[in-house]
Amino acid sequence: MLRLFLPILFTVGLTLSAQTVFAAPQQAEALAPLHSLIGDWKGTAQDGKVIRASYQFTSGGTSLTETLAPEKEPAMTTMYHLDGNRLMLTHYCSLNNQPRMRTNDYQAGDKTLTFTFVDATNLASPSDPHMHQVIFAFQDHDHFTQTWVLSKDGKDMPHIFHFERMK
């Protein structure tokens, strides 16, 4: 009985592990709007301050990690991942809250990608300062603009960063 059971168990295990291995590239393809960001970037804010950004795939290609490091300020991390067929992010902000945002309907070839507020952790009141929207505008392979919209007391304050790929 054991001789019959072991080959079947081996075959089932091999099939399940192959499905796991092949799932990651499919997930990474769904993150296609963000593929061009992989690497290191140098940006400037509206006030001329330098900000650095770095993007890399993690978790077997199922998520993208963004690290934003403004000059003389704490670095922040944003995780991009799928939520069904839409992109979602969680921004780990230096304001000590974690807004979650989801994309609009993105089509291949679109030059902009907009994430809008869904909810946040560690946000005592909706009027407390928090990031409420982020918009990517892709100019070409080596340039993009990122607009982070801060909501404070019901007022939106955009912060615009122009990035160029570091070579």
Side-chain angles (χ1 to χ4, degrees), residues 67-80:
T67 304
L68 291 175
E71 196 171 51
K72 298 179 184 175
E73 294 181 31
M76 294 169 281
T77 300
T78 304
M79 297 299 297
Y80 298 85

Side-chain angles (χ1 to χ4, degrees), residues 33-41 54-55 64 136 138 144 165:
L34 302 174
H35 278 200
S36 65
L37 296 174
I38 300 300
D40 297 316
W41 300 79
S54 176
Y55 296 86
L64 180 78
F136 287 86
F138 302 100
F144 76 94
R165 186 180 302 278

Side-chain angles (χ1 to χ4, degrees), residues 123 125-130 132 150-157:
L123 187 66
S125 165
S127 62
D128 287 349
H130 66 279
H132 202 76
L150 175 70
S151 178
K152 182 179 179 185
D153 297 324
K155 294 182 183 176
D156 288 344
M157 296 175 265

Side-chain angles (χ1 to χ4, degrees), residues 83-143:
D83 182 30
N85 61 351
R86 296 168 72 189
L87 289 170
M88 187 160 194
L89 69 78
T90 302
H91 176 65
Y92 298 88
C93 192
S94 60
L95 294 171
N96 194 28
N97 54 46
Q98 301 78 35
R100 295 181 336 132
M101 302 178 214
R102 197 175 290 129
T103 57
N104 56 348
D105 293 328
Y106 179 86
Q107 302 295 319
D110 285 355
K111 296 290 185 183
T112 60
L113 182 63
T114 302
F115 291 84
T116 54
F117 186 80
V118 174
D119 60 17
T121 57
N122 208 34
L123 187 66
S125 165
S127 62
D128 287 349
H130 66 279
M131 291 302 171
H132 202 76
Q133 185 179 54
V134 63
I135 303 163
F136 287 86
F138 302 100
Q139 287 81 41
D140 58 42
H141 185 70
D142 294 324
H143 300 88

Side-chain angles (χ1 to χ4, degrees), residues 40-60:
D40 297 316
W41 300 79
K42 182 179 178 182
T44 53
Q46 296 158 279
D47 59 6
K49 288 185 180 177
V50 173
I51 183 169
R52 300 202 183 269
S54 176
Y55 296 86
Q56 65 181 5
F57 280 116
T58 58
S59 303

